[in-house]
Amino acid sequence: MTLDITDLKVTIGGREILRGVDLSLQEGRVHGLAGESGSGKTMTGLAVLGLLPHGARATGRIALGERDLLTLPPRELNKVRGGEVAMVFQDPATSLHPMLSVGRQLTEHMRHHLRLDRREARARAVELLGKVRIPGAEEAYGRFPHQFSGGMRQRIAIAIALACSPRVLIADEPTTALDVTVQAGVLRLLRGLCDELGLAVLLVTHDLGVMSAIADEVSVMKDGLVVETGPRGKVLREPSHAYTRSLLDSLPGETA
Ligand SMILES: Nc1ncnc2c1ncn2[C@@H]1O[C@H](COP(=O)(O)OP(=O)(O)O)[C@@H](O)[C@H]1O
Ligand SMILES: [Mg+2]
């Protein structure tokens, strides 16, 4: 399923935060979204999930297949969120509940959305923990988030995001809070899941170097607009926008 964002504008308290964003996600493709802090990357992801801050006004179109998520009734949007569209946030601490076992967090979600019974949900949870390469998935099921490293916690957050078989995954700075040594592994995992499950992935990062490793398409945001978009190789090798060039110039070492 494709997700097409057209002329998305978001206004909060009279200030235009997004000024007409166009962005397209395709099945089995990772679309990297870069841009400096405050350019509107997170707001774009939140708009897709219908999770904009209170008081925000959004216009334009966010088409998931035939449906426009901006005009979907709240009940329908609720089904889409966490179902067809899932999100992974920067800090796994914000998406994982510290007091609930990993298994419980995975299965609650599934039982609610997929109406599975306890046994089916457990089997699927263990399978998902294996899929995100948590060693000893059976044992991990009964453990609590603090018993895992940051990288493993983010893998668990990804497993939860995948629990209801989403078609679209929004990953907002998924490795920024992690140790440099484990970042690449989590990115490779996302890339692999995208290929294996045919997910349409939006990978948000302020770091062009990070996305040069795994993105198929790259878009660059500045001041609430996408100023550049295209295949990774083209954008990184022959950026047409001065702003993209300045981002690339600030990268250490070879990228594209
Ligand atoms: N809850 C909010 N209310 C009002 N403005 C906000 C809120 N959250 C973020 N903003 C503003 O929206 C703009 C875009 O923010 P954001 O999407 O978080 O940027 P990015 O993720 O690219 O760093 C910024 O100017 C930010 O100050
Ligand atoms: Mg952000």
Side-chain angles (χ1 to χ4, degrees), residues 96 101-107 110 121-143 148 152-160 162-163 189 193:
L96 298 180
S101 72
V102 164
R104 177 89 184 277
Q105 295 186 57
L106 275 158
T107 54
M110 280 184 232
R122 188 196 155 92
R124 176 155 170 77
V126 170
E127 184 196 323
L128 280 166
L129 289 170
K131 214 181 248 321
V132 297
R133 313 260 185 282
I134 302 278
E138 285 282 350
E139 293 75 37
Y141 182 91
R143 295 217 176 99
F148 295 88
M152 286 297 150
R153 281 202 291 268
Q154 191 60 300
R155 286 168 188 265
I156 292 164
I158 292 170
I160 292 172
L162 295 177
L189 173 68
L193 292 168

Coordinates of all heavy atoms in Angstrom, one line a residue, residues 96 101-107 110 121-143 148 152-160 162-163 189 193:
L96 N 7.8 2.1 25.6 CA 7.7 0.9 26.4 C 7.3 1.3 27.8 O 7.7 2.3 28.4 CB 9.1 0.2 26.5 CG 9.6 -0.3 25.1 CD1 11.0 -1.0 25.4 CD2 8.7 -1.2 24.5
S101 N 5.7 -6.5 31.5 CA 6.6 -7.4 30.8 C 6.6 -7.1 29.3 O 5.5 -6.6 28.8 CB 6.3 -8.8 31.1 OG 5.2 -9.2 30.5
V102 N 7.6 -7.5 28.6 CA 7.7 -7.3 27.2 C 6.6 -8.1 26.5 O 5.9 -7.6 25.6 CB 9.1 -7.9 26.7 CG1 9.1 -8.1 25.2 CG2 10.2 -6.9 27.1
G103 N 6.3 -9.3 27.0 CA 5.3 -10.2 26.4 C 3.9 -9.5 26.6 O 3.1 -9.5 25.6
R104 N 3.7 -9.0 27.7 CA 2.4 -8.3 28.0 C 2.2 -7.2 27.1 O 1.1 -7.0 26.5 CB 2.4 -7.9 29.5 CG 1.2 -7.2 29.9 CD 0.1 -8.1 30.5 NE -1.1 -7.3 30.8 CZ -1.2 -6.7 32.0 NH1 -0.2 -6.8 32.9 NH2 -2.3 -6.0 32.2
Q105 N 3.2 -6.4 26.8 CA 3.1 -5.2 26.0 C 2.8 -5.6 24.5 O 2.1 -4.9 23.8 CB 4.3 -4.3 26.1 CG 4.5 -3.7 27.5 CD 5.6 -2.7 27.6 OE1 5.6 -1.7 26.9 NE2 6.5 -3.0 28.5
L106 N 3.5 -6.7 24.1 CA 3.2 -7.1 22.8 C 1.8 -7.7 22.6 O 1.2 -7.4 21.6 CB 4.3 -8.2 22.4 CG 5.6 -7.8 21.9 CD1 6.6 -8.8 22.2 CD2 5.5 -7.4 20.5
T107 N 1.4 -8.5 23.6 CA 0.1 -9.2 23.4 C -1.1 -8.3 23.6 O -2.1 -8.4 23.0 CB 0.0 -10.4 24.3 OG1 0.3 -10.0 25.7 CG2 1.1 -11.5 23.9
M110 N -1.9 -6.7 20.4 CA -2.4 -7.6 19.4 C -3.8 -8.1 19.8 O -4.6 -8.2 18.9 CB -1.6 -8.9 19.4 CG -0.3 -8.8 18.7 SD 0.4 -10.5 18.8 CE 2.0 -10.1 19.4
A121 N -1.8 -15.1 20.8 CA -1.0 -13.8 20.9 C 0.4 -14.1 21.4 O 1.3 -13.5 21.0 CB -1.8 -12.9 21.9
R122 N 0.5 -15.0 22.4 CA 1.8 -15.4 22.9 C 2.7 -15.9 21.8 O 3.9 -15.6 21.7 CB 1.7 -16.4 24.0 CG 3.0 -16.6 24.8 CD 3.0 -17.9 25.6 NE 4.4 -18.3 25.7 CZ 5.2 -17.9 26.7 NH1 4.7 -17.2 27.7 NH2 6.4 -18.3 26.7
A123 N 2.2 -16.8 21.0 CA 3.0 -17.4 20.0 C 3.5 -16.4 19.0 O 4.6 -16.4 18.6 CB 2.1 -18.5 19.2
R124 N 2.6 -15.5 18.7 CA 2.9 -14.4 17.7 C 4.0 -13.5 18.3 O 4.9 -13.0 17.7 CB 1.7 -13.6 17.3 CG 2.0 -12.5 16.4 CD 0.8 -12.1 15.5 NE 1.1 -10.8 14.8 CZ 1.9 -10.7 13.8 NH1 2.5 -11.7 13.3 NH2 2.1 -9.5 13.3
A125 N 3.8 -13.2 19.6 CA 4.8 -12.3 20.3 C 6.2 -12.9 20.3 O 7.2 -12.2 20.0 CB 4.3 -12.1 21.7
V126 N 6.3 -14.2 20.6 CA 7.6 -14.8 20.6 C 8.2 -14.8 19.2 O 9.4 -14.6 19.0 CB 7.5 -16.3 21.1 CG1 8.8 -17.0 20.9 CG2 7.1 -16.2 22.6
E127 N 7.3 -15.0 18.2 CA 7.8 -15.0 16.8 C 8.3 -13.6 16.4 O 9.4 -13.5 15.8 CB 6.6 -15.4 15.9 CG 6.9 -15.5 14.4 CD 5.7 -15.5 13.6 OE1 4.7 -16.1 14.0 OE2 5.7 -14.9 12.5
L128 N 7.6 -12.6 16.9 CA 8.0 -11.2 16.6 C 9.4 -10.9 17.3 O 10.2 -10.2 16.7 CB 7.0 -10.2 17.0 CG 5.8 -10.0 16.1 CD1 4.7 -9.3 16.8 CD2 6.2 -9.3 14.8
L129 N 9.6 -11.4 18.5 CA 10.8 -11.1 19.2 C 12.0 -11.7 18.4 O 13.1 -11.2 18.4 CB 10.7 -11.6 20.6 CG 9.8 -10.8 21.5 CD1 9.6 -11.5 22.9 CD2 10.4 -9.3 21.7
G130 N 11.7 -12.9 17.9 CA 12.7 -13.6 17.0 C 13.0 -12.7 15.8 O 14.1 -12.6 15.3
K131 N 11.9 -12.2 15.2 CA 12.0 -11.5 13.9 C 12.9 -10.2 14.1 O 13.6 -9.8 13.2 CB 10.6 -11.1 13.5 CG 10.5 -11.1 11.9 CD 9.1 -10.6 11.6 CE 8.3 -11.7 10.9 NZ 9.0 -12.6 10.0
V132 N 12.8 -9.6 15.3 CA 13.6 -8.4 15.5 C 15.0 -8.8 16.2 O 15.7 -7.9 16.6 CB 12.9 -7.3 16.4 CG1 11.7 -6.8 15.6 CG2 12.6 -7.8 17.8
R133 N 15.3 -10.1 16.1 CA 16.6 -10.6 16.6 C 16.9 -10.4 18.0 O 18.0 -10.0 18.4 CB 17.7 -10.1 15.7 CG 17.5 -10.1 14.2 CD 18.2 -11.2 13.6 NE 18.1 -11.2 12.1 CZ 16.9 -11.5 11.5 NH1 15.9 -12.0 12.1 NH2 16.9 -11.4 10.2
I134 N 15.9 -10.6 18.9 CA 16.1 -10.6 20.3 C 16.6 -12.0 20.7 O 15.9 -13.0 20.4 CB 14.9 -10.3 21.1 CG1 14.3 -8.9 20.7 CG2 15.1 -10.4 22.6 CD1 14.9 -7.7 21.3
P135 N 17.8 -12.2 21.2 CA 18.3 -13.5 21.5 C 17.4 -14.1 22.6 O 17.0 -13.4 23.6 CB 19.7 -13.3 22.0 CG 20.1 -11.9 21.8 CD 18.8 -11.1 21.6
G136 N 17.1 -15.4 22.5 CA 16.3 -16.1 23.5 C 14.9 -15.5 23.6 O 14.5 -15.0 24.7
A137 N 14.2 -15.5 22.5 CA 12.8 -14.9 22.5 C 11.9 -15.4 23.6 O 11.2 -14.6 24.2 CB 12.2 -15.0 21.1
E138 N 11.9 -16.7 23.8 CA 11.1 -17.3 24.8 C 11.3 -16.7 26.2 O 10.3 -16.3 26.9 CB 11.3 -18.8 24.9 CG 10.7 -19.6 23.8 CD 9.2 -19.8 23.9 OE1 8.6 -19.5 25.0 OE2 8.6 -20.3 23.0
E139 N 12.6 -16.5 26.6 CA 12.9 -15.9 27.9 C 12.6 -14.4 27.9 O 12.1 -13.9 28.9 CB 14.4 -16.1 28.3 CG 14.8 -17.6 28.5 CD 14.9 -18.4 27.2 OE1 15.3 -17.8 26.2 OE2 14.5 -19.5 27.2
A140 N 12.9 -13.8 26.8 CA 12.7 -12.3 26.7 C 11.2 -12.0 26.9 O 10.9 -10.9 27.5 CB 13.2 -11.8 25.3
Y141 N 10.3 -12.9 26.5 CA 8.9 -12.6 26.6 C 8.5 -12.2 28.1 O 7.7 -11.4 28.3 CB 8.2 -13.9 26.2 CG 6.7 -13.8 26.2 CD1 6.0 -13.4 25.1 CD2 5.9 -14.1 27.4 CE1 4.6 -13.3 25.1 CE2 4.6 -14.0 27.4 CZ 3.9 -13.6 26.2 OH 2.5 -13.5 26.2
G142 N 9.1 -12.9 29.0 CA 8.7 -12.6 30.4 C 9.5 -11.6 31.1 O 9.3 -11.3 32.3
R143 N 10.5 -11.0 30.4 CA 11.3 -10.0 31.1 C 10.7 -8.6 31.0 O 9.8 -8.3 30.2 CB 12.7 -10.0 30.4 CG 13.4 -11.2 30.6 CD 14.9 -11.0 30.8 NE 15.6 -12.3 31.1 CZ 16.2 -13.0 30.2 NH1 16.4 -12.5 29.0 NH2 16.8 -14.1 30.6
F148 N 16.9 -5.0 29.5 CA 17.5 -5.0 28.2 C 18.3 -3.7 27.9 O 18.1 -2.7 28.5 CB 16.4 -5.1 27.1 CG 15.6 -6.3 27.1 CD1 14.5 -6.4 27.9 CD2 16.0 -7.4 26.3 CE1 13.8 -7.6 27.9 CE2 15.3 -8.6 26.4 CZ 14.2 -8.7 27.2
M152 N 18.4 -3.2 22.4 CA 17.4 -4.3 22.5 C 16.1 -3.7 22.8 O 15.1 -4.2 22.2 CB 17.8 -5.3 23.6 CG 19.0 -6.2 23.2 SD 18.6 -7.2 21.7 CE 20.2 -7.4 21.0
R153 N 16.0 -2.7 23.6 CA 14.7 -2.0 23.9 C 14.1 -1.4 22.6 O 12.9 -1.5 22.4 CB 14.9 -0.9 24.9 CG 14.9 -1.5 26.3 CD 14.6 -0.4 27.4 NE 15.6 0.6 27.4 CZ 16.6 0.6 28.3 NH1 16.7 -0.4 29.2 NH2 17.5 1.6 28.3
Q154 N 15.0 -0.8 21.8 CA 14.4 -0.3 20.5 C 13.9 -1.4 19.6 O 12.9 -1.3 18.9 CB 15.5 0.6 19.8 CG 14.9 1.4 18.7 CD 13.8 2.4 19.1 OE1 12.8 2.0 19.6 NE2 14.0 3.7 18.9
R155 N 14.6 -2.6 19.6 CA 14.1 -3.7 18.9 C 12.8 -4.2 19.4 O 11.9 -4.6 18.6 CB 15.2 -4.9 18.9 CG 16.4 -4.6 18.1 CD 17.5 -5.6 18.4 NE 18.7 -5.2 17.7 CZ 19.1 -5.7 16.5 NH1 18.3 -6.6 15.9 NH2 20.2 -5.2 15.9
I156 N 12.6 -4.1 20.7 CA 11.3 -4.5 21.3 C 10.2 -3.5 20.8 O 9.1 -3.9 20.5 CB 11.4 -4.6 22.8 CG1 12.3 -5.8 23.2 CG2 10.0 -4.7 23.4 CD1 12.8 -5.7 24.6
A157 N 10.6 -2.2 20.8 CA 9.6 -1.2 20.4 C 9.2 -1.5 18.9 O 8.1 -1.3 18.5 CB 10.2 0.2 20.6
I158 N 10.2 -1.9 18.1 CA 9.9 -2.2 16.7 C 9.0 -3.4 16.6 O 8.0 -3.5 15.9 CB 11.2 -2.4 15.9 CG1 12.0 -1.1 15.8 CG2 10.9 -3.0 14.5 CD1 13.4 -1.2 15.3
A159 N 9.3 -4.4 17.5 CA 8.4 -5.6 17.5 C 7.0 -5.2 17.8 O 6.0 -5.7 17.2 CB 8.9 -6.7 18.5
I160 N 6.8 -4.3 18.8 CA 5.4 -3.9 19.2 C 4.8 -3.1 18.0 O 3.6 -3.3 17.7 CB 5.5 -3.0 20.4 CG1 5.9 -3.9 21.6 CG2 4.2 -2.3 20.7 CD1 6.2 -3.1 22.9
L162 N 5.3 -3.7 15.0 CA 5.0 -4.7 13.9 C 3.8 -5.6 14.3 O 3.3 -6.4 13.5 CB 6.2 -5.5 13.6 CG 7.4 -4.8 13.0 CD1 8.5 -5.8 12.8 CD2 7.0 -4.2 11.7
A163 N 3.4 -5.6 15.6 CA 2.5 -6.6 16.1 C 1.3 -6.8 15.3 O 0.8 -7.9 15.1 CB 2.2 -6.3 17.6
L189 N 18.2 -3.8 10.7 CA 17.0 -4.6 11.0 C 15.8 -3.9 10.3 O 15.0 -4.6 9.7 CB 16.8 -4.5 12.5 CG 15.4 -5.1 13.0 CD1 15.4 -6.6 12.7 CD2 15.2 -4.8 14.4
L193 N 13.4 -5.7 7.5 CA 12.0 -5.8 7.8 C 11.2 -5.2 6.6 O 10.1 -5.7 6.2 CB 11.6 -5.2 9.1 CG 12.1 -5.9 10.3 CD1 11.9 -5.0 11.6 CD2 11.4 -7.3 10.5

